[in-house]
Amino acid sequence: MARRPLGPGGVEVTELSFGAAGMGNLYAPITDEAAAAALDHAWQAGIRYFDTAPHYGLGLSERRLGEALRGRDRSSYVISTKVGRLLEPADEISGDDLADGGFAVPRTHRRIWDFSADGIRRSLESSLTRLGTDRVDVVFLHDPDHHEEEAFREGYPALEKLRSEGVVGAIGAGMNQAEMLTRFVRDTDVDAVLCAGRYTLLDHQALTGLLPAASERGASIVIGGVFNSGLLADPRPGARFDYVEAPPEVLARARALRTLAERHGTTLRAAALAFPFGHPAVASVLVGVRAPGQVTDAAAQFAARVPDDFWREARAEGLLPAEVPVPWARARGSAGSAGSGASPGEEERP
């Protein structure tokens, strides 16, 4: 599978990446064996970038990911984790984490927001222990929405110091919004940011400021949430869009896109996975998976060709604005061949 640079620091990631929240029992439990099998299928599909966080299952995702990767050539894959939430042992174990965090695990720990320099280092040290490795390649500040000033004043400089010391290869922030990520790209020297849900077939918020800023500054974007909570995977009545039931007009648009995709011999899932690569700042698309079948499907849909006529008609029918760049058909596995929104046959930006 093709790889792309994650900013200027030398870290390279596969275009399709493995989101390991499911390995932390997101919404429902899975077994250790199922988690390991999902990663094995991802490895067989050529995926070599794996994203996790302490938040995911109160550390369970990191532990399972580390165990599943153990014994593989450490130089052949990339791990990113996140900082900003410390895990402190709970005074007593009562119930599970579903209501608080969305993970089906015993409430053995409590999350403490901490973007201080000391908190960043403590969080990373704990993550290394859970992962069973001596290094991670990428560290993101995780969801600093309500801790903006501390994140910029203390958290980011701490990450910059870790990078200068060679402890990590690339740094950035991961959020479900584009505005603050744009500030990170413009006002700091981040290598990359992880933007979830804000650059999809249905949501183009990141195109206003974040993506142009990244291109200007030489930063990379990892796109998460390309299915917008499931609507773009299966646009059925009652499907979720950004964690709530999709409004009727959004559901109708998703269903129209699905009909158009099927008319052109492809799928809505394939189009959703391909779409972000219309912009040259995008380095990877992160897909959350929890079962081998999901990995197999994601890899197959990612490799599928989405015809140019799909993108032309999506624009002509008003399903995509004319100014949104699209990925004209390309052979998967050719790094740097994503289109910039120019017409087929015109020069494409690397």
Side-chain angles (χ1 to χ4, degrees):
M1 185 175 294
R3 302 192 186 208
R4 295 187 179 211
L6 203 63
V11 176
E12 292 189 340
V13 295
T14 48
E15 291 182 329
L16 183 64
S17 41
F18 184 104
M23 296 182 86
N25 289 359
L26 180 63
Y27 303 134
I30 63 171
T31 64
D32 292 342
E33 292 76 16
L39 188 136
D40 284 341
H41 276 65
W43 192 271
Q44 292 164 15
I47 295 171
R48 295 293 185 272
Y49 173 31
F50 305 90
D51 176 75
T52 185
H55 171 56
Y56 302 157
L58 296 173
L60 178 62
S61 173
E62 289 183 319
R63 290 193 294 272
R64 281 176 166 170
L65 181 63
E67 182 60 34
L69 288 170
R70 197 154 296 134
R72 304 178 198 261
D73 179 5
R74 183 63 187 87
S75 66
S76 68
Y77 62 86
V78 168
I79 297 175
S80 62
T81 193
K82 306 180 184 78
V83 292
R85 291 175 174 94
L86 292 173
L87 301 181
E88 298 289 349
D91 295 331
E92 59 178 304
I93 301 174
S94 59
D96 60 37
D97 184 58
L98 276 170
D100 291 338
F103 295 90
V105 296
R107 197 183 299 153
T108 56
H109 291 72
R110 54 197 179 94
R111 301 174 180 85
I112 306 296
W113 289 103
D114 192 337
F115 289 94
S116 69
D118 178 65
I120 297 303
R121 284 188 175 268
R122 287 171 57 198
S123 180
L124 181 56
E125 288 169 2
S126 296
S127 289
L128 292 174
T129 298
R130 287 188 290 268
L131 286 162
T133 185
D134 61 350
R135 74 182 192 280
V136 294
D137 307 278
V138 188
V139 179
F140 294 117
L141 298 169
H142 198 186
D143 295 337
D145 303 67
H146 303 297
H147 307 269
E148 183 170 1
E149 293 314 312
E150 184 183 31
F152 278 91
R153 185 179 64 251
E154 296 191 47
Y156 170 75
L159 286 188
E160 197 172 61
K161 191 169 190 299
L162 289 168
R163 183 178 60 185
S164 70
E165 294 169 350
V167 176
V168 299
I171 59 173
M175 305 179 72
N176 293 296
Q177 58 152 290
E179 293 80 7
M180 197 186 302
L181 291 180
T182 304
R183 181 184 171 192
F184 273 109
V185 169
R186 286 179 173 160
D187 295 351
T188 73
D189 189 30
V190 293
D191 298 282
V193 294
L194 196 170
C195 180
R198 303 285 76 85
Y199 196 58
T200 73
L201 282 171
L202 296 172
D203 189 325
H204 313 132
Q205 292 180 46
L207 189 61
T208 303
L210 177 58
L211 288 162
S215 290
E216 180 183 337
R217 300 276 297 176
S220 297
I221 310 291
V222 176
I223 297 294
V226 290
F227 299 134
N228 281 130
S229 301
L231 180 61
L232 287 170
D234 182 13
R236 66 190 187 283
R240 289 182 171 267
F241 173 75
D242 282 354
Y243 310 106
V244 299
E245 185 172 334
E249 66 277 10
V250 178
L251 175 62
R253 193 162 141 230
R255 292 169 73 88
L257 283 162
R258 180 179 64 181
T259 298
L260 180 62
E262 291 172 352
R263 192 160 72 236
H264 287 286
T266 188
T267 67
L268 180 60
R269 302 192 307 286
L273 287 165
F275 170 75
F277 290 100
H279 199 285
V282 174
S284 185
V285 167
L286 180 70
V287 178
V289 290
R290 57 188 289 120
Q294 291 177 335
V295 177
T296 300
D297 181 73
Q301 299 301 321
F302 181 77
R305 180 181 180 275
V306 181
D308 291 344
D309 284 345
F310 167 83
W311 304 112
R312 290 193 186 96
E313 289 192 32
R315 284 175 166 176
E317 295 180 13
L319 297 172
L320 283 176
E323 69 272 13
V324 172
V326 298
W328 300 113
R330 67 192 178 100
R332 290 291 183 191
S334 295
S337 61
S340 62
S343 298
E346 294 180 8
E347 183 179 3
E348 294 181 340
R349 296 177 62 180

